């Protein structure tokens, strides 16, 4: 995971979950990634160029780089056109491996006709009322497309994940790693 080391200081506590995720993904040859909620970035001034905001996690950049390294495919979905525009700018050098969709994540997942190797659910911030219901709906829609050896990572552990974790556990998935921010699940364990 040498390529991930450069992000260690900026990812903070999330580094350990992404390190595990990409380690398992590499071992399992997982290449098709879907992310709901994209890198938003932030603007210092209204008319300024968006800057990377690592407090948002910026998983979009990590998934884009990983997809480029393994010749994979990466889809990132967000309902906000400006967020998609910012994420596109952050990942331009990996553009051949990155696809963006401006859509509600529920519509995107409902219409997706592909086998997902890695699913990252990160729409709505965890402090927004209804975020847990939304994440559960995403999980219910995506589970039909998840590969048996695939991985699911849930962000904003706590209230946002209190419905989706039991859903995955009830459907044969296991928690294989967790920290204060994220939960990594798999059906297939060593």
């Amino acid at each position: 995971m040498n390529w991930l080391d450069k992000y260690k200081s900026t990812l903070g506590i999330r580094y350990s979950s992404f390190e595990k995720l990409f380690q398992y993904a590499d071992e399992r040859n997982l290449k098709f990634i879907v992310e709901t909620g994209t890198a938003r970035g932030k603007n210092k001034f209204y008319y300024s160029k968006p800057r990377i905001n690592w407090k948002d996690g910026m998983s979009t950049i990590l998934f884009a780089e990983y997809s480029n390294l393994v010749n994979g495919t990466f889809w990132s979905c967000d309902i906000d056109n400006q967020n998609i525009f910012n994420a596109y700018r952050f990942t331009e050098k990996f553009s051949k491996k990155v696809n963006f969709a401006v859509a509600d994540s529920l519509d995107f997942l409902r219409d997706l006709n592909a086998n997902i190797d890695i699913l990252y659910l990160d729409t709505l911030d965890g402090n927004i009322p209804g975020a847990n219901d939304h994440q559960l709906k995403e999980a219910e829609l995506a589970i039909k497309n998840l590969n048996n050896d695939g991985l699911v990572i849930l962000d904003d552990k706590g209230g946002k994940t209190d419905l989706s974790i039991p859903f995955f556990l009830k459907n044969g998935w296991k928690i294989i790693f967790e920290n204060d921010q994220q939960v990594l699940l798999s059906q297939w364990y060593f």
Side-chain angles (χ1 to χ4, degrees):
M1 288 302 117
N2 292 341
W3 70 271
L4 191 61
D5 289 346
K6 66 185 167 205
Y7 298 110
K8 192 170 191 169
S9 64
T10 53
L11 284 172
I13 192 169
R14 288 181 171 95
Y15 177 82
S16 59
S17 49
F18 281 110
E19 181 182 41
K20 287 290 183 193
L21 171 81
F22 291 122
Q23 174 191 339
Y24 293 140
D26 191 50
E27 290 170 3
R28 298 176 188 189
N29 197 30
L30 303 179
K31 296 184 178 187
F32 193 92
I33 303 168
V34 171
E35 167 189 63
T36 62
T38 201
R40 296 176 285 195
K42 65 180 177 181
N43 292 59
K44 189 171 184 177
F45 303 105
Y46 183 71
Y47 291 104
S48 67
K49 180 180 176 182
R51 295 181 306 143
I52 294 173
N53 179 11
W54 287 103
K55 290 182 181 178
D56 271 346
M58 301 305 284
S59 55
T60 306
I61 294 169
L62 303 178
F63 291 134
E65 186 166 349
Y66 180 77
S67 294
N68 186 62
L69 290 170
V70 300
N71 197 28
T73 302
F74 169 50
W75 276 93
S76 185
C77 165
D78 198 284
I79 199 165
D80 188 304
N81 192 51
Q82 185 62 50
N83 291 346
I84 292 290
F85 177 76
N86 291 348
Y88 173 80
R89 291 180 72 178
F90 298 146
T91 61
E92 280 182 288
K93 63 183 173 182
F94 309 117
S95 63
K96 292 180 181 175
K97 300 297 174 188
V98 180
N99 303 280
F100 291 103
V102 178
D104 182 284
S105 62
L106 301 178
D107 295 334
F108 177 78
L109 292 169
R110 183 179 301 112
D111 297 339
L112 184 66
N113 187 20
N115 292 325
I116 302 170
D117 291 324
I118 299 170
L119 175 65
Y120 185 61
L121 299 181
D122 191 21
T123 53
L124 300 179
D125 290 330
N127 60 347
I128 294 175
N132 58 348
D133 290 320
H134 188 81
Q135 189 176 81
L136 174 61
K137 289 175 186 170
E138 290 177 327
E140 291 170 341
L141 289 167
I143 200 164
K144 70 185 182 329
N145 292 8
L146 292 169
N147 285 329
N148 290 337
D149 62 345
L151 300 166
V152 173
I153 187 163
L154 306 173
D155 198 41
D156 295 335
K157 181 183 166 193
K160 182 173 164 181
T161 60
D162 67 351
L163 300 175
S164 52
I165 290 173
F167 170 78
F168 279 112
L169 296 176
K170 183 178 126 188
N171 283 281
W173 290 74
K174 299 166 188 67
I175 295 173
I176 58 173
F177 183 82
E178 63 184 305
N179 60 29
D180 290 343
Q181 293 292 315
Q182 297 174 316
V183 177
L184 180 61
L185 300 117
S186 175
Q187 276 190 305
W188 179 68
Y189 196 62
F190 307 93

